[in-house]
C-alpha cells in the first residue's frame, strides 16, 4: 500500500527535487556513475554532478556514444541521486 506522502515524495524525486524538502528550496544533486567490469571485477567512479535528473540523462546519452577504451566486458553509466544506494 502506498501512502499519499510516499506518492508525493516519488513525484518530487522524478522532478529532481530533494526528498521532502521542496519548500526549503533544496535541490537534489544527481551524479553520473560509471561502472566498468572485466571478468568478475567491477570498478565504479563518479563522472559528473548535476542539479537535475534531465541534465544527468543528457550527459549519459553523450557518454554512451563514446566508444569504450580498454578490454572491459561491460561499461555502464547510471544516473543516481548523490549518496543513494542501489537495491
Amino acid at each position: 500500500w502506498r501512502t499519499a506522502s510516499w506518492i508525493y515524495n516519488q513525484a518530487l524525486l522524478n522532478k529532481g527535487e530533494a526528498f521532502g524538502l521542496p519548500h526549503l528550496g533544496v535541490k537534489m544533486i544527481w551524479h553520473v556513475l560509471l561502472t566498468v567490469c572485466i571478468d568478475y571485477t567491477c570498478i565504479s567512479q563518479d563522472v559528473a554532478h548535476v542539479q537535475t535528473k534531465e541534465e544527468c540523462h543528457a550527459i549519459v546519452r553523450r557518454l554512451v556514444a563514446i566508444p569504450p577504451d580498454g578490454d572491459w566486458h561491460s561499461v555502464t553509466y547510471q544516473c543516481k541521486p548523490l549518496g543513494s544506494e542501489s537495491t
Side-chain angles (χ1 to χ4, degrees):
W1 100 329
R2 306 276 191 229
T3 65
S5 176
W6 183 90
I7 293 168
Y8 174 72
N9 284 321
Q10 286 303 115
L12 292 178
L13 286 173
N14 289 335
K15 286 175 46 181
E17 295 184 13
F19 190 76
L21 299 175
H23 59 285
L24 299 177
V26 177
K27 292 284 186 176
M28 180 178 296
I29 302 296
W30 289 83
H31 70 129
V32 177
L33 184 65
L34 164 65
T35 302
V36 294
C37 299
I38 190 165
D39 295 326
Y40 296 102
T41 302
C42 295
I43 303 166
S44 296
Q45 82 175 52
D46 272 334
V47 176
H49 291 181
V50 294
Q51 300 230 340
T52 68
K53 187 176 184 179
E54 292 77 16
E55 287 177 284
C56 193
H57 286 290
I59 291 170
V60 167
R61 284 191 299 273
R62 289 193 301 266
L63 290 171
V64 297
I66 300 170
D69 61 349
D71 295 326
W72 305 107
H73 292 138
S74 69
V75 176
T76 58
Y77 295 94
Q78 183 180 19
C79 285
K80 295 175 53 171
L82 189 61
S84 67
E85 295 186 23
S86 297
T87 55

